[in-house]
Protein backbone atom coordinates (compact mmCIF):
# COMPACT_ATOMS: atom_id res chain seq x y z
CA UNK A 1 0.00 0.00 0.00
CA UNK A 2 1.38 3.32 -1.06
CA UNK A 3 0.36 6.16 1.24
CA UNK A 4 -0.38 9.46 -0.49
CA UNK A 5 2.74 11.52 -0.81
CA UNK A 6 2.45 14.72 1.17
CA UNK A 7 4.39 17.49 2.75
CA UNK A 8 3.71 16.05 6.20
CA UNK A 9 4.69 12.48 5.31
CA UNK A 10 7.92 13.55 3.57
CA UNK A 11 10.76 11.27 4.67
CA UNK A 12 13.71 12.91 6.43
CA UNK A 13 14.83 16.55 6.59
CA UNK A 14 12.11 17.64 9.01
CA UNK A 15 13.75 21.02 9.77
CA UNK A 16 13.54 22.02 6.09
CA UNK A 17 9.94 20.82 5.82
CA UNK A 18 9.01 22.77 8.96
CA UNK A 19 10.56 26.00 7.67
CA UNK A 20 8.60 25.68 4.43
CA UNK A 21 5.32 24.78 6.12
CA UNK A 22 5.62 27.75 8.44
CA UNK A 23 6.46 30.11 5.56
CA UNK A 24 3.46 28.87 3.55
CA UNK A 25 1.13 29.19 6.56
CA UNK A 26 2.32 32.74 7.23
CA UNK A 27 2.29 33.62 3.54
CA UNK A 28 5.93 34.60 3.79
CA UNK A 29 7.55 32.23 1.33
CA UNK A 30 10.63 33.81 -0.31
CA UNK A 31 10.29 34.15 -4.08
CA UNK A 32 13.53 32.24 -4.59
CA UNK A 33 14.75 29.17 -2.73
CA UNK A 34 17.86 27.04 -3.02
CA UNK A 35 17.36 23.37 -2.14
CA UNK A 36 20.92 22.17 -1.52
CA UNK A 37 22.06 18.71 -0.46
CA UNK A 38 23.12 15.22 -1.52
CA UNK A 39 21.50 13.22 -4.30
CA UNK A 40 18.43 11.12 -3.64
CA UNK A 41 17.13 12.83 -0.49
CA UNK A 42 14.01 14.26 -2.17
CA UNK A 43 14.93 17.87 -3.01
CA UNK A 44 13.07 17.86 -6.32
CA UNK A 45 10.15 15.94 -4.84
CA UNK A 46 9.83 18.45 -2.02
CA UNK A 47 9.76 21.22 -4.65
CA UNK A 48 6.79 19.51 -6.30
CA UNK A 49 5.12 18.96 -2.92
CA UNK A 50 5.56 22.65 -2.19
CA UNK A 51 3.87 23.44 -5.50
CA UNK A 52 0.99 21.13 -4.47
CA UNK A 53 0.80 22.73 -1.05
CA UNK A 54 0.50 26.18 -2.62
CA UNK A 55 -2.06 25.19 -5.24
CA UNK A 56 -4.16 22.35 -3.85
CA UNK A 57 -7.86 22.88 -4.49
CA UNK A 58 -9.02 21.01 -1.39
CA UNK A 59 -6.36 21.23 1.30
CA UNK A 60 -7.28 19.02 4.24
CA UNK A 61 -5.76 19.40 7.73
CA UNK A 62 -3.10 21.68 6.33
CA UNK A 63 -1.90 19.11 3.80
CA UNK A 64 -2.28 19.09 0.04
CA UNK A 65 -4.65 16.27 -0.96
CA UNK A 66 -2.51 14.66 -3.72
CA UNK A 67 -5.85 13.91 -5.41
CA UNK A 68 -7.43 17.08 -6.80
CA UNK A 69 -6.92 18.15 -10.42
CA UNK A 70 -4.16 20.57 -9.45
CA UNK A 71 -2.25 18.06 -7.27
CA UNK A 72 -2.50 15.35 -9.92
CA UNK A 73 -1.31 17.57 -12.74
CA UNK A 74 1.66 18.71 -10.68
CA UNK A 75 2.85 15.16 -9.99
CA UNK A 76 2.19 14.10 -13.59
CA UNK A 77 4.23 17.04 -14.83
CA UNK A 78 1.32 18.43 -16.86
CA UNK A 79 0.46 21.50 -14.80
CA UNK A 80 0.98 24.57 -17.02
CA UNK A 81 2.23 26.68 -14.11
CA UNK A 82 4.57 24.19 -12.49
CA UNK A 83 7.68 23.84 -14.54
CA UNK A 84 10.67 21.58 -14.10
CA UNK A 85 13.78 22.75 -15.94
CA UNK A 86 16.58 20.21 -16.28
CA UNK A 87 19.92 20.29 -18.10
CA UNK A 88 19.55 19.71 -21.83
CA UNK A 89 22.72 17.65 -22.24
CA UNK A 90 25.44 18.82 -19.89
CA UNK A 91 23.95 22.23 -19.13
CA UNK A 92 20.76 24.19 -18.62
CA UNK A 93 21.03 26.30 -21.77
CA UNK A 94 20.53 30.02 -22.17
CA UNK A 95 17.51 29.41 -24.46
CA UNK A 96 15.80 27.31 -21.80
CA UNK A 97 16.22 30.13 -19.29
CA UNK A 98 15.12 32.79 -21.81
CA UNK A 99 11.98 30.86 -22.81
CA UNK A 100 11.05 30.46 -19.21
CA UNK A 101 11.58 34.10 -18.34
CA UNK A 102 9.38 35.14 -21.26
CA UNK A 103 6.70 32.81 -19.94
CA UNK A 104 6.75 33.95 -16.33
CA UNK A 105 6.41 37.59 -17.30
CA UNK A 106 2.68 36.76 -17.57
CA UNK A 107 0.33 35.85 -14.76
CA UNK A 108 0.01 32.11 -14.01
CA UNK A 109 -2.54 30.32 -16.23
CA UNK A 110 -4.54 28.68 -13.49
CA UNK A 111 -2.40 28.34 -10.36
CA UNK A 112 -2.39 30.56 -7.32
CA UNK A 113 1.38 30.33 -7.42
CA UNK A 114 3.56 29.42 -10.33
CA UNK A 115 6.49 27.22 -9.28
CA UNK A 116 9.60 26.80 -11.37
CA UNK A 117 12.13 24.16 -10.34
CA UNK A 118 15.63 24.33 -11.79
CA UNK A 119 16.98 20.83 -11.24
CA UNK A 120 20.79 20.89 -11.38
CA UNK A 121 20.84 24.69 -11.08
CA UNK A 122 24.63 24.75 -10.78
CA UNK A 123 24.88 23.40 -14.31
CA UNK A 124 24.39 26.76 -15.99
CA UNK A 125 27.05 28.68 -17.89
CA UNK A 126 27.63 32.33 -16.98
CA UNK A 127 25.32 33.67 -19.69
CA UNK A 128 22.36 31.55 -18.59
CA UNK A 129 23.04 32.23 -14.91
CA UNK A 130 23.15 35.99 -15.50
CA UNK A 131 19.90 35.76 -17.39
CA UNK A 132 18.33 34.01 -14.40
CA UNK A 133 19.85 36.59 -12.06
CA UNK A 134 17.88 39.36 -13.78
CA UNK A 135 14.65 37.55 -12.93
CA UNK A 136 15.74 37.17 -9.30
CA UNK A 137 16.42 40.90 -9.15
CA UNK A 138 12.92 41.72 -10.37
CA UNK A 139 10.85 38.74 -9.33
CA UNK A 140 7.48 38.36 -11.05
CA UNK A 141 4.48 38.23 -8.72
CA UNK A 142 3.00 34.91 -7.58
CA UNK A 143 6.06 33.01 -8.79
CA UNK A 144 8.38 30.84 -6.69
CA UNK A 145 11.72 29.80 -8.14
CA UNK A 146 13.43 26.75 -6.64
CA UNK A 147 17.07 26.07 -7.47
CA UNK A 148 17.90 22.43 -6.77
CA UNK A 149 21.59 21.64 -6.46
CA UNK A 150 24.17 19.38 -4.90
CA UNK A 151 26.72 22.19 -5.15
CA UNK A 152 25.24 25.46 -3.90
CA UNK A 153 28.65 27.11 -3.90
CA UNK A 154 28.92 26.57 -7.64
CA UNK A 155 26.04 29.04 -8.05
CA UNK A 156 26.83 32.72 -8.65
CA UNK A 157 27.23 34.58 -5.35
CA UNK A 158 24.78 37.13 -6.67
CA UNK A 159 22.20 34.38 -7.20
CA UNK A 160 22.88 32.89 -3.76
CA UNK A 161 22.44 36.26 -2.10
CA UNK A 162 18.96 36.68 -3.61
CA UNK A 163 17.63 33.30 -2.59
CA UNK A 164 17.00 31.57 0.71
CA UNK A 165 19.27 28.55 1.01
CA UNK A 166 17.82 25.44 2.64
CA UNK A 167 20.34 22.71 3.35
CA UNK A 168 19.16 19.10 3.11
CA UNK A 169 21.06 16.28 4.82
CA UNK A 170 21.09 12.50 4.40
CA UNK A 171 17.97 10.65 5.51
CA UNK A 172 18.50 8.59 8.71
CA UNK A 173 18.89 4.87 8.01
CA UNK A 174 16.01 3.94 10.29
CA UNK A 175 13.56 6.29 8.55
CA UNK A 176 14.52 4.81 5.18
CA UNK A 177 14.14 1.28 6.50
CA UNK A 178 10.71 2.02 8.03
CA UNK A 179 9.55 3.65 4.82
CA UNK A 180 10.66 0.73 2.65
CA UNK A 181 8.94 -1.79 4.92
CA UNK A 182 5.79 0.28 5.44
CA UNK A 183 5.23 1.88 2.04
CA UNK A 184 7.35 0.19 -0.56
CA UNK A 185 6.40 -3.42 0.14
CA UNK A 186 9.84 -4.68 1.19
CA UNK A 187 10.27 -7.30 3.89
CA UNK A 188 11.76 -5.88 7.11
CA UNK A 189 14.99 -7.77 6.42
CA UNK A 190 15.30 -6.48 2.83
CA UNK A 191 14.35 -2.98 3.97
CA UNK A 192 17.15 -2.99 6.55
CA UNK A 193 19.70 -4.15 4.00
CA UNK A 194 18.68 -1.57 1.39
CA UNK A 195 18.72 1.19 4.00
CA UNK A 196 22.16 0.16 5.26
CA UNK A 197 23.62 0.48 1.77
CA UNK A 198 21.83 3.68 0.78
CA UNK A 199 24.17 6.27 2.31
CA UNK A 200 21.14 8.21 3.47
CA UNK A 201 19.58 8.41 0.01
CA UNK A 202 15.97 7.27 -0.17
CA UNK A 203 16.26 7.30 -3.96
CA UNK A 204 19.18 4.87 -3.86
CA UNK A 205 17.38 2.65 -1.32
CA UNK A 206 14.24 2.45 -3.48
CA UNK A 207 16.18 1.14 -6.46
CA UNK A 208 18.57 -1.01 -4.45
CA UNK A 209 18.71 -4.59 -5.72
CA UNK A 210 18.59 -6.66 -2.52
CA UNK A 211 18.78 -10.04 -4.26
CA UNK A 212 21.87 -9.13 -6.25
CA UNK A 213 23.45 -7.58 -3.19
CA UNK A 214 22.89 -10.75 -1.24
CA UNK A 215 24.46 -12.83 -3.99
CA UNK A 216 27.47 -10.52 -4.16
CA UNK A 217 27.78 -10.65 -0.39
CA UNK A 218 27.69 -14.46 -0.35
CA UNK A 219 30.52 -14.57 -2.86
CA UNK A 220 32.52 -11.96 -0.97
CA UNK A 221 32.05 -13.83 2.27
CA UNK A 222 33.35 -17.03 0.71
CA UNK A 223 36.38 -15.18 -0.65
CA UNK A 224 37.10 -13.46 2.66
CA UNK A 225 36.87 -16.80 4.38
CA UNK A 226 39.39 -18.37 1.98
CA UNK A 227 41.64 -15.35 2.30
CA UNK A 228 41.69 -15.34 6.10
CA UNK A 229 41.89 -19.08 6.50
CA UNK A 230 44.68 -19.13 3.92
CA UNK A 231 43.06 -22.02 2.18
CA UNK A 232 43.41 -23.41 -1.31
CA UNK A 233 44.58 -20.86 -3.82
CA UNK A 234 42.82 -22.74 -6.64
CA UNK A 235 39.44 -22.28 -4.91
CA UNK A 236 39.99 -18.55 -4.60
CA UNK A 237 41.02 -18.42 -8.22
CA UNK A 238 37.83 -20.20 -9.35
CA UNK A 239 35.79 -17.82 -7.24
CA UNK A 240 37.65 -14.88 -8.73
CA UNK A 241 36.89 -16.06 -12.26
CA UNK A 242 33.17 -15.80 -11.48
CA UNK A 243 33.28 -12.17 -10.37
CA UNK A 244 35.85 -10.60 -12.69
CA UNK A 245 33.81 -10.86 -15.90
CA UNK A 246 31.82 -7.68 -15.39
CA UNK A 247 33.64 -4.53 -14.30
CA UNK A 248 30.69 -3.01 -12.46
CA UNK A 249 29.90 -6.25 -10.65
CA UNK A 250 33.58 -6.61 -9.78
CA UNK A 251 33.59 -3.12 -8.28
CA UNK A 252 30.50 -3.96 -6.19
CA UNK A 253 32.06 -7.23 -5.13
CA UNK A 254 35.32 -5.55 -4.16
CA UNK A 255 33.50 -2.87 -2.14
CA UNK A 256 31.58 -5.61 -0.38
CA UNK A 257 34.78 -7.56 0.33
CA UNK A 258 36.26 -4.42 1.90
CA UNK A 259 33.11 -3.94 4.02
CA UNK A 260 33.21 -7.54 5.25
CA UNK A 261 36.91 -7.41 6.10
CA UNK A 262 36.29 -4.18 7.98
CA UNK A 263 33.51 -5.93 9.90
CA UNK A 264 35.81 -8.86 10.76
CA UNK A 265 38.27 -6.31 12.12
CA UNK A 266 35.49 -4.64 14.12
CA UNK A 267 34.41 -8.05 15.43
CA UNK A 268 37.91 -8.32 16.90
CA UNK A 269 38.16 -4.77 18.20
CA UNK A 270 34.81 -2.94 18.44
CA UNK A 271 31.85 -5.25 17.73
CA UNK A 272 29.31 -2.45 18.10
CA UNK A 273 30.64 -0.79 14.96
CA UNK A 274 29.89 -3.78 12.72
CA UNK A 275 27.66 -2.95 9.72
CA UNK A 276 26.49 -6.33 8.40
CA UNK A 277 24.55 -7.17 11.51
CA UNK A 278 22.49 -10.01 10.05
CA UNK A 279 25.60 -12.14 9.45
CA UNK A 280 27.41 -11.39 12.70
CA UNK A 281 27.89 -15.10 13.62
CA UNK A 282 29.72 -15.84 10.35
CA UNK A 283 31.90 -12.74 10.70
CA UNK A 284 32.61 -13.40 14.38
CA UNK A 285 33.63 -16.97 13.48
CA UNK A 286 36.23 -15.62 11.05
CA UNK A 287 37.37 -13.04 13.56
CA UNK A 288 38.02 -15.73 16.13
CA UNK A 289 40.35 -17.79 13.96
CA UNK A 290 42.17 -15.14 11.90
CA UNK A 291 45.14 -13.31 13.41
CA UNK A 292 44.56 -9.56 13.50
CA UNK A 293 47.67 -8.95 11.38
CA UNK A 294 46.22 -11.14 8.63
CA UNK A 295 42.96 -9.17 8.68
CA UNK A 296 44.82 -5.89 8.43
CA UNK A 297 47.01 -7.22 5.60
CA UNK A 298 43.90 -8.32 3.69
CA UNK A 299 42.25 -4.90 4.21
CA UNK A 300 45.39 -3.26 2.83
CA UNK A 301 45.53 -5.58 -0.17
CA UNK A 302 41.88 -4.88 -1.06
CA UNK A 303 42.43 -1.15 -0.64
CA UNK A 304 45.35 -1.32 -3.07
CA UNK A 305 43.32 -3.25 -5.59
CA UNK A 306 40.49 -0.70 -5.41
CA UNK A 307 43.09 1.99 -6.03
CA UNK A 308 44.36 0.44 -9.26
CA UNK A 309 40.93 -0.63 -10.52
CA UNK A 310 40.59 2.64 -12.41
CA UNK A 311 43.51 1.53 -14.56
CA UNK A 312 42.84 -0.95 -17.29
CA UNK A 313 44.12 -3.94 -15.34
CA UNK A 314 43.53 -7.63 -15.82
CA UNK A 315 41.09 -8.19 -12.99
CA UNK A 316 41.68 -11.94 -12.67
CA UNK A 317 45.45 -11.52 -12.35
CA UNK A 318 45.08 -8.61 -9.95
CA UNK A 319 42.79 -10.62 -7.74
CA UNK A 320 45.11 -13.62 -7.70
CA UNK A 321 48.01 -11.30 -6.85
CA UNK A 322 45.96 -9.94 -3.97
CA UNK A 323 45.33 -13.45 -2.68
CA UNK A 324 48.99 -14.39 -2.93
CA UNK A 325 50.08 -11.17 -1.25
CA UNK A 326 47.74 -11.90 1.63
CA UNK A 327 49.08 -15.44 1.92
CA UNK A 328 52.65 -14.18 2.14
CA UNK A 329 51.88 -11.60 4.80
ZN1 LIG B 1 -4.99 18.77 -3.98
Amino acid sequence: MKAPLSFHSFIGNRPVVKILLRAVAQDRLPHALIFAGPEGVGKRTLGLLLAQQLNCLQTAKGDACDDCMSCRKIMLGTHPDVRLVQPDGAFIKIDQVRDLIAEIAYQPFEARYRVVIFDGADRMRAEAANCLLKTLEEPPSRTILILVTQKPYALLTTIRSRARLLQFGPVPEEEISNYLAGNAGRSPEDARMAAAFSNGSLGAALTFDVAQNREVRDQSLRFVSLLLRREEFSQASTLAAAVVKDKELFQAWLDMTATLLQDVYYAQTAPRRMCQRDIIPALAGLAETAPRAAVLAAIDAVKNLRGVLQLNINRQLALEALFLAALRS
Side-chain angles (χ1 to χ4, degrees), residues 48 51-52 54-57 68-84 103 108-115:
L48 293 171
Q52 279 191 334
L54 291 167
N55 292 305
C56 179
L57 304 173
C68 69
M69 193 58 101
S70 171
C71 284
R72 279 168 187 256
K73 279 195 203 166
I74 288 169
M75 280 305 163
L76 287 171
T78 57
H79 198 298
D81 298 311
V82 177
R83 298 285 308 274
L84 180 64
E103 188 183 314
F109 294 105
E110 54 188 73
R112 285 197 290 274
Y113 284 92
R114 175 190 277 121
V115 176

Side-chain angles (χ1 to χ4, degrees), residues 16 23 33 62 91 103 137 147 152 163 166 176 208 220 235 260 276 297 325:
V16 173
L33 297 158
F91 293 98
E103 188 183 314
E137 283 166 343
L147 310 182
L166 295 173
I176 293 182
F208 185 79
S220 291
Q235 278 187 52
L260 295 182
Q276 307 289 314

Side-chain angles (χ1 to χ4, degrees), residues 45-327:
T45 304
L46 194 63
L48 293 171
L49 290 174
L50 179 60
Q52 279 191 334
Q53 189 75 17
L54 291 167
N55 292 305
C56 179
L57 304 173
Q58 49 183 32
T59 315
K61 291 180 194 158
D63 233 347
C65 69
D66 195 35
D67 191 42
C68 69
M69 193 58 101
S70 171
C71 284
R72 279 168 187 256
K73 279 195 203 166
I74 288 169
M75 280 305 163
L76 287 171
T78 57
H79 198 298
D81 298 311
V82 177
R83 298 285 308 274
L84 180 64
V85 183
Q86 288 175 305
D88 174 11
F91 293 98
I92 294 177
K93 302 208 163 96
I94 176 87
D95 287 345
Q96 290 174 276
V97 180
R98 271 200 197 117
D99 288 351
L100 199 99
I101 287 172
E103 188 183 314
I104 63 180
Y106 298 96
Q107 293 293 312
F109 294 105
E110 54 188 73
R112 285 197 290 274
Y113 284 92
R114 175 190 277 121
V115 176
V116 181
I117 302 171
F118 288 91
D119 190 17
D122 51 278
R123 285 158 67 183
M124 256 184 241
R125 288 211 181 90
E127 204 186 5
N130 278 312
C131 192
L132 176 66
L133 178 63
K134 286 206 191 81
T135 303
L136 294 178
E137 283 166 343
E138 294 163 38
S141 65
R142 294 200 289 144
T143 295
I144 310 289
L145 299 179
I146 302 175
L147 310 182
V148 172
T149 177
Q150 291 177 49
K151 300 184 226 158
Y153 294 99
L155 298 171
L156 293 181
T157 357
T158 39
I159 287 186
R160 274 208 314 277
S161 69
R162 281 174 178 80
R164 168 84 193 266
L165 190 143
L166 295 173
Q167 182 68 50
F168 289 61
V171 183
E173 202 175 303
E174 202 185 337
E175 281 188 52
I176 293 182
S177 174
N178 288 343
Y179 178 81
L180 293 179
N183 296 76
R186 300 271 183 101
S187 71
E189 203 183 35
D190 286 4
R192 268 198 300 279
M193 180 182 253
F197 280 93
S198 66
N199 280 324
S201 159
L202 182 60
L206 282 167
T207 54
F208 185 79
D209 187 337
V210 174
Q212 181 183 312
N213 190 65
R214 230 176 234 126
E215 201 183 311
V216 168
R217 191 173 70 174
D218 285 350
Q219 281 175 339
S220 291
L221 190 61
R222 241 174 292 149
F223 184 75
V224 167
S225 163
L226 289 171
L227 199 59
L228 294 181
R229 294 198 167 125
R230 298 163 179 242
E231 278 165 21
E232 279 297 295
F233 173 71
S234 64
Q235 278 187 52
S237 185
T238 313
L239 202 62
V243 294
V244 295
K245 282 178 216 134
D246 179 274
K247 189 170 178 182
E248 229 165 80
L249 183 67
F250 185 64
Q251 178 79 57
W253 177 87
L254 204 55
D255 288 346
M256 181 63 85
T257 302
T259 302
L260 295 182
L261 282 168
Q262 184 75 58
D263 266 359
V264 173
Y265 179 72
Y266 283 147
Q268 293 175 330
T269 55
R272 281 172 45 182
R273 295 182 65 181
M274 293 172 76
C275 293
Q276 307 289 314
R277 309 203 67 85
D278 56 321
I279 51 168
I280 283 180
L283 296 167
L286 289 170
E288 246 170 56
T289 51
R292 198 176 296 177
V295 178
L296 288 172
I299 289 174
D300 263 354
V302 171
K303 217 184 272 172
N304 287 339
L305 184 53
R306 286 164 102 190
V308 296
L309 194 60
Q310 305 309 325
L311 311 172
N312 204 9
I313 53 159
N314 180 318
R315 293 189 285 275
Q316 171 93 31
L317 289 181
L319 203 56
E320 288 176 1
L322 176 154
F323 195 80
L324 292 174
L327 286 187

